[in-house]
């Protein structure tokens, strides 16, 4: 409240959902405290944490309001945060990201130049080892990922906000954890806004995504969730030119697998095992070279190769099945 009880508007509301990421969240809030842009609040949505994540909001030098939800998942938590947000600009990041000090200033600058939605740049926090996971989004991909995106609030509301039903349509979100994890809702919202308004990429709006060390089970689970991409591309066909290579491929690392499948389908006789073996050798060499690009011991890098190949195989199967399910081919 301002002087005499008048309501004081906040220019920017930064919405951050969190569930049981106390250690990572501390770095996120530290990054927000170091912002050069002064007029903002943080809306921290504690989605049923049991590790005391929300306690980190106390004693900060920036306004942090805690909103509590009862395990509704990332999409529901963000929507709850928007409901409580006071800002005319909505900024989104995640509890495993650290915004650089000019992040908000760069996003606001792009909005002030008449953008309705602004994608920032997301980079890994540092070098990674085999089987570690991080995120890289430089903007042109067109994913509008909520780890780093800004909306003019009126444009967000005109587009209907995040669609909580999108995950069910896209499929491939197995188990309670998968259903709670956002997938595609941010991309669909971004394109709804961009189609009727203006989008921009803010190269100076940078967040650093933590290096994660998932289990093999989680790696394979996330690989299966990739099967939602064909449905996402069906609903956001702009992704064929912004994200997919040659309008078809979600990267080329699974090309040897598709070569083996094509060999099995199109060749006969003694030529089939020869060509299939060549494709398998190509795949093995490619995955080995990829593993040795990373830091870590030789033993660890060698051990990563069969796991990476298993991830490739699960991803390929998910994309083929997702393509058939959605009648939208992505490989």
């Amino acid at each position: 409240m301002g002087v005499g009880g008048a309501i004081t508007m906040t220019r920017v509301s930064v919405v951050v959902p969190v569930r049981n990421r106390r250690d990572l969240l501390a770095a996120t809030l530290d990054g927000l405290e170091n912002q050069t842009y002064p007029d903002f609040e943080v809306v921290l949505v504690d989605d049923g944490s049991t590790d005391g994540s929300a306690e980190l909001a106390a004693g900060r030098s920036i306004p942090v309001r805690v909103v509590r939800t009862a395990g509704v998942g990332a999409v529901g938590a963000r929507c709850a945060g928007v409901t409580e947000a006071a800002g005319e600009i909505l900024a989104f990041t995640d509890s495993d990201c650290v915004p650089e000090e000019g992040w908000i200033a760069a996003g606001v600058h792009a909005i002030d130049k008449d953008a309705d939605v602004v994608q920032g740049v997301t980079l890994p926090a540092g070098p990674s080892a085999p089987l570690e996971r991080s995120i890289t989004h430089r903007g042109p991909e067109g994913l509008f990922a909520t780890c780093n995106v800004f909306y003019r609030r009126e444009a967000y509301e005109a587009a209907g906000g995040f669609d909580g039903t999108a995950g069910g349509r896209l499929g491939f979100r197995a188990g309670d954890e998968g259903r709670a994890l956002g997938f595609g809702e941010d991309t669909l919202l971004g394109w709804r806004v961009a189609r009727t308004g203006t989008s921009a990429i803010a190269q100076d709006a940078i967040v650093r995504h933590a290096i994660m060390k998932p289990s093999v089970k989680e790696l394979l689970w996330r690989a299966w969730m990739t099967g939602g991409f064909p449905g996402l591309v069906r609903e956001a066909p702009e992704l064929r030119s912004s994200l997919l290579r040659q309008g078809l491929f979600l990267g080329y690392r699974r090309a040897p697998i598709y070569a083996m499948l094509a060999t099995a389908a199109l060749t006969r006789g003694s030529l089939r095992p020869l060509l299939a073996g060549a494709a398998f050798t190509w795949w093995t060499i490619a995955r080995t070279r990829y593993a040795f690009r990373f830091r870590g011991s030789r033993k660890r890098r060698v051990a990563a190769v069969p796991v990476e190949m298993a991830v490739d195989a699960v991803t390929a199967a998910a994309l083929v099945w997702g393509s058939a399910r959605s009648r939208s081919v992505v490989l």
Side-chain angles (χ1 to χ4, degrees), residues 203-214:
Q203 297 291 344
D204 294 332
I206 299 171
V207 301
R208 299 281 176 175
H209 191 282
I211 306 294
M212 315 297 282
K213 298 180 180 180

Side-chain angles (χ1 to χ4, degrees), residues 267-280:
T267 61
R268 296 290 184 272
S270 59
L271 191 59
R272 177 187 286 180
L274 180 64
L275 292 177
F280 184 82

Side-chain angles (χ1 to χ4, degrees), residues 120-134:
V121 173
T122 303
L123 302 172
S128 59
L131 305 183
E132 293 181 344
R133 183 180 67 84
S134 189

